[in-house]
Amino acid sequence: LPLCFPQKLWRMLESDQFRSIWWSEGGRCVAINKDLFEVEVLGRGVCQRVFNTQHIRSVIRQLNLYGFTKVQRDFQRSASLPEFLSEEAAASAHSQILYYYNPSFNRAHPWLLGTCKRR
């Protein structure tokens, strides 16, 4: 049987093959480097394709359909201008990283994967 979306996602996260997607927050969140994911995963040829799409919007739609919610990263800003500017540059690079959370999708509790159902 073909794997459902959460199973494919889990396999990608557990694989050493992908640099664009990883476990974050101690295995409770999925982190996706949007630009790298588009090239590394969605830009593959038909025979090597993981998902049946070439668009990040479709992957995000699937995440939402399976109960994932986007996690906003909150940065504390420094008062001094040089520190603020360097933090701003880091935050800009960091903005290409998307974080998604689902209580049933946890690296420490793989048995919960079966409860990830499409809405």
Side-chain angles (χ1 to χ4, degrees):
L1 290 174
L3 298 176
C4 68
F5 179 81
Q7 292 169 328
K8 288 179 185 179
L9 193 62
W10 188 282
R11 285 209 175 158
M12 289 178 69
L13 289 162
E14 291 296 310
S15 167
D16 294 338
Q17 187 178 1
F18 303 98
R19 295 178 306 126
S20 60
I21 185 167
W22 63 93
W23 290 105
S24 179
E25 307 296 324
R28 293 180 293 139
C29 288
V30 175
I32 302 170
N33 179 318
K34 184 179 167 223
D35 291 341
L36 185 56
F37 189 85
E38 287 176 331
V39 172
E40 182 183 62
V41 178
L42 302 177
R44 290 175 161 219
V46 175
C47 294
Q48 296 179 322
R49 198 165 286 159
V50 177
F51 302 112
N52 293 330
T53 185
Q54 294 178 300
H55 305 285
I56 190 75
R57 289 184 320 271
S58 297
V59 173
I60 291 170
R61 188 176 309 114
Q62 287 294 312
L63 286 165
N64 292 327
L65 283 172
Y66 279 93
F68 287 81
T69 54
K70 188 172 184 182
V71 178
Q72 297 297 328
R73 307 302 289 181
D74 217 6
F75 292 100
Q76 296 290 344
R77 299 289 190 223
S78 296
S80 76
L81 183 60
E83 287 179 19
F84 175 82
L85 292 174
S86 72
E87 289 170 358
E88 198 61 30
S92 176
H94 205 265
S95 69
Q96 290 300 314
I97 300 175
L98 309 172
Y99 295 91
Y100 284 89
Y101 169 77
N102 181 326
S104 297
F105 199 86
N106 186 315
R107 187 178 198 180
H109 306 292
W111 57 88
L112 291 176
L113 184 60
T115 64
C116 283
K117 301 291 183 200
R118 189 177 173 136
R119 293 182 192 175

